[in-house]
Short mmCIF file of all heavy atoms in Angstrom, two decimals:
data_model
loop_
_atom_site.label_atom_id
_atom_site.label_comp_id
_atom_site.label_asym_id
_atom_site.label_seq_id
_atom_site.Cartn_x
_atom_site.Cartn_y
_atom_site.Cartn_z
N VAL X 1 149.96 65.86 126.47
CA VAL X 1 149.22 67.12 126.38
C VAL X 1 149.58 67.88 125.11
O VAL X 1 148.70 68.33 124.36
CB VAL X 1 149.49 67.98 127.64
CG1 VAL X 1 148.98 69.42 127.43
CG2 VAL X 1 148.83 67.36 128.86
N LEU X 2 150.87 68.02 124.85
CA LEU X 2 151.32 68.80 123.70
C LEU X 2 150.95 68.13 122.38
O LEU X 2 150.57 68.82 121.42
CB LEU X 2 152.83 69.03 123.79
CG LEU X 2 153.29 69.87 124.98
CD1 LEU X 2 154.80 69.82 125.12
CD2 LEU X 2 152.81 71.31 124.86
N SER X 3 151.05 66.81 122.32
CA SER X 3 150.70 66.12 121.07
C SER X 3 149.22 66.25 120.78
O SER X 3 148.79 66.33 119.63
CB SER X 3 151.12 64.64 121.13
OG SER X 3 150.44 63.97 122.17
N GLN X 4 148.39 66.29 121.85
CA GLN X 4 146.96 66.48 121.65
C GLN X 4 146.68 67.89 121.11
O GLN X 4 145.87 68.07 120.21
CB GLN X 4 146.21 66.28 122.96
CG GLN X 4 144.70 66.47 122.86
CD GLN X 4 144.04 65.51 121.90
OE1 GLN X 4 143.73 64.39 122.24
NE2 GLN X 4 143.81 65.94 120.65
N ALA X 5 147.39 68.88 121.64
CA ALA X 5 147.22 70.26 121.16
C ALA X 5 147.59 70.36 119.68
O ALA X 5 146.89 71.00 118.88
CB ALA X 5 148.08 71.21 121.99
N VAL X 6 148.69 69.71 119.30
CA VAL X 6 149.12 69.70 117.90
C VAL X 6 148.09 69.00 117.03
O VAL X 6 147.78 69.44 115.93
CB VAL X 6 150.51 69.04 117.78
CG1 VAL X 6 150.84 68.75 116.32
CG2 VAL X 6 151.57 69.92 118.40
N GLU X 7 147.56 67.91 117.53
CA GLU X 7 146.54 67.16 116.79
C GLU X 7 145.31 68.02 116.52
O GLU X 7 144.68 67.93 115.46
CB GLU X 7 146.13 65.92 117.61
CG GLU X 7 145.26 64.93 116.85
CD GLU X 7 146.02 64.21 115.75
OE1 GLU X 7 147.23 64.00 115.87
OE2 GLU X 7 145.36 63.86 114.75
N TRP X 8 144.98 68.88 117.45
CA TRP X 8 143.84 69.78 117.27
C TRP X 8 144.14 70.91 116.29
O TRP X 8 143.22 71.59 115.85
CB TRP X 8 143.43 70.39 118.61
CG TRP X 8 142.69 69.44 119.51
CD1 TRP X 8 141.89 68.40 119.13
CD2 TRP X 8 142.67 69.46 120.94
NE1 TRP X 8 141.40 67.76 120.24
CE2 TRP X 8 141.85 68.39 121.36
CE3 TRP X 8 143.28 70.26 121.90
CZ2 TRP X 8 141.61 68.11 122.71
CZ3 TRP X 8 143.05 69.99 123.24
CH2 TRP X 8 142.21 68.92 123.65
N GLY X 9 145.42 71.12 115.98
CA GLY X 9 145.78 72.19 115.04
C GLY X 9 146.38 73.42 115.68
O GLY X 9 146.37 74.50 115.10
N SER X 10 146.94 73.25 116.88
CA SER X 10 147.61 74.38 117.54
C SER X 10 148.71 74.94 116.64
O SER X 10 149.40 74.20 115.95
CB SER X 10 148.23 73.92 118.86
OG SER X 10 149.04 74.94 119.41
N ASP X 11 148.87 76.26 116.67
CA ASP X 11 149.97 76.88 115.94
C ASP X 11 150.88 77.65 116.90
O ASP X 11 151.57 78.59 116.50
CB ASP X 11 149.46 77.79 114.82
CG ASP X 11 148.71 79.01 115.34
OD1 ASP X 11 148.37 79.02 116.55
OD2 ASP X 11 148.46 79.94 114.57
N ILE X 12 150.89 77.21 118.16
CA ILE X 12 151.78 77.83 119.14
C ILE X 12 153.17 77.23 118.98
O ILE X 12 153.36 76.03 119.18
CB ILE X 12 151.25 77.64 120.57
CG1 ILE X 12 149.93 78.40 120.73
CG2 ILE X 12 152.27 78.13 121.60
CD1 ILE X 12 149.29 78.29 122.10
N LYS X 13 154.10 78.05 118.61
CA LYS X 13 155.45 77.58 118.29
C LYS X 13 156.09 76.81 119.44
O LYS X 13 156.72 75.76 119.24
CB LYS X 13 156.32 78.77 117.89
CG LYS X 13 157.72 78.40 117.44
CD LYS X 13 158.47 79.64 116.98
CE LYS X 13 159.88 79.31 116.54
NZ LYS X 13 160.60 80.52 116.08
N ASN X 14 155.95 77.32 120.65
CA ASN X 14 156.58 76.67 121.80
C ASN X 14 156.05 75.26 122.04
O ASN X 14 156.77 74.42 122.58
CB ASN X 14 156.42 77.52 123.06
CG ASN X 14 157.33 78.73 123.05
OD1 ASN X 14 158.33 78.76 122.33
ND2 ASN X 14 156.99 79.75 123.83
N SER X 15 154.81 75.01 121.67
CA SER X 15 154.26 73.65 121.81
C SER X 15 155.01 72.68 120.91
O SER X 15 155.35 71.56 121.32
CB SER X 15 152.76 73.64 121.49
OG SER X 15 152.03 74.36 122.45
N TYR X 16 155.26 73.10 119.68
CA TYR X 16 155.99 72.25 118.73
C TYR X 16 157.44 72.06 119.18
O TYR X 16 157.98 70.95 119.11
CB TYR X 16 155.95 72.86 117.33
CG TYR X 16 154.62 72.71 116.65
CD1 TYR X 16 153.58 73.61 116.90
CD2 TYR X 16 154.38 71.67 115.77
CE1 TYR X 16 152.35 73.47 116.28
CE2 TYR X 16 153.15 71.52 115.14
CZ TYR X 16 152.14 72.42 115.40
OH TYR X 16 150.92 72.26 114.80
N LEU X 17 158.06 73.15 119.63
CA LEU X 17 159.47 73.06 120.02
C LEU X 17 159.66 72.20 121.26
O LEU X 17 160.59 71.39 121.32
CB LEU X 17 160.03 74.46 120.26
CG LEU X 17 160.16 75.34 119.02
CD1 LEU X 17 160.84 76.66 119.37
CD2 LEU X 17 160.94 74.64 117.93
N LEU X 18 158.79 72.35 122.25
CA LEU X 18 158.92 71.54 123.46
C LEU X 18 158.64 70.07 123.17
O LEU X 18 159.38 69.19 123.62
CB LEU X 18 157.97 72.06 124.54
CG LEU X 18 158.02 71.32 125.88
CD1 LEU X 18 159.44 71.25 126.42
CD2 LEU X 18 157.09 72.00 126.90
N LEU X 19 157.62 69.81 122.37
CA LEU X 19 157.32 68.44 122.01
C LEU X 19 158.46 67.84 121.18
O LEU X 19 158.86 66.69 121.38
CB LEU X 19 156.00 68.38 121.22
CG LEU X 19 155.46 66.99 120.88
CD1 LEU X 19 155.31 66.14 122.13
CD2 LEU X 19 154.12 67.11 120.15
N GLY X 20 159.00 68.64 120.26
CA GLY X 20 160.14 68.19 119.47
C GLY X 20 161.35 67.90 120.35
O GLY X 20 162.07 66.92 120.12
N ARG X 21 161.57 68.72 121.37
CA ARG X 21 162.69 68.50 122.29
C ARG X 21 162.51 67.19 123.06
O ARG X 21 163.47 66.44 123.26
CB ARG X 21 162.78 69.68 123.27
CG ARG X 21 164.06 69.69 124.10
CD ARG X 21 164.13 70.93 124.98
NE ARG X 21 164.01 72.15 124.21
CZ ARG X 21 163.12 73.09 124.44
NH1 ARG X 21 162.25 72.97 125.42
NH2 ARG X 21 163.09 74.18 123.70
N ILE X 22 161.28 66.94 123.47
CA ILE X 22 160.99 65.68 124.19
C ILE X 22 161.29 64.48 123.29
O ILE X 22 161.94 63.51 123.71
CB ILE X 22 159.52 65.65 124.66
CG1 ILE X 22 159.30 66.70 125.76
CG2 ILE X 22 159.15 64.26 125.17
CD1 ILE X 22 157.85 66.90 126.15
N TYR X 23 160.85 64.56 122.03
CA TYR X 23 161.11 63.46 121.10
C TYR X 23 162.61 63.29 120.86
O TYR X 23 163.11 62.16 120.77
CB TYR X 23 160.40 63.71 119.77
CG TYR X 23 158.89 63.61 119.83
CD1 TYR X 23 158.08 64.37 118.99
CD2 TYR X 23 158.27 62.75 120.72
CE1 TYR X 23 156.70 64.28 119.03
CE2 TYR X 23 156.89 62.65 120.78
CZ TYR X 23 156.10 63.42 119.93
OH TYR X 23 154.73 63.32 119.98
N LYS X 24 163.32 64.41 120.77
CA LYS X 24 164.76 64.33 120.53
C LYS X 24 165.48 63.72 121.74
O LYS X 24 166.40 62.91 121.59
CB LYS X 24 165.32 65.71 120.22
CG LYS X 24 166.78 65.67 119.76
CD LYS X 24 167.23 66.98 119.16
CE LYS X 24 168.65 66.86 118.60
NZ LYS X 24 169.11 68.11 117.98
N GLU X 25 165.04 64.11 122.94
CA GLU X 25 165.64 63.55 124.15
C GLU X 25 165.42 62.04 124.22
O GLU X 25 166.27 61.30 124.72
CB GLU X 25 165.03 64.23 125.39
CG GLU X 25 165.48 65.66 125.59
CD GLU X 25 164.67 66.40 126.65
OE1 GLU X 25 163.71 65.80 127.21
OE2 GLU X 25 164.99 67.58 126.92
N LYS X 26 164.27 61.60 123.70
CA LYS X 26 163.96 60.16 123.69
C LYS X 26 164.53 59.45 122.46
O LYS X 26 164.36 58.25 122.30
CB LYS X 26 162.43 59.97 123.70
CG LYS X 26 161.77 60.42 125.00
CD LYS X 26 160.26 60.51 124.85
CE LYS X 26 159.65 59.17 124.48
NZ LYS X 26 158.17 59.26 124.34
#
């Protein structure tokens, strides 16, 4: 969900941070 939002051009900071946290956890 979050990667799709980013792909569309979202500029919501929490979307980037949560997605980044998921990538870091993995």
Side-chain angles (χ1 to χ4, degrees):
V1 167
L2 296 169
S3 61
Q4 179 61 83
V6 168
E7 190 69 30
W8 285 330
S10 171
D11 66 347
I12 295 180
K13 184 177 179 179
N14 285 340
S15 292
Y16 286 83
L17 292 184
L18 181 53
L19 186 55
R21 190 176 304 125
I22 292 171
Y23 290 149
K24 189 167 185 178
E25 288 169 357
K26 293 167 61 180

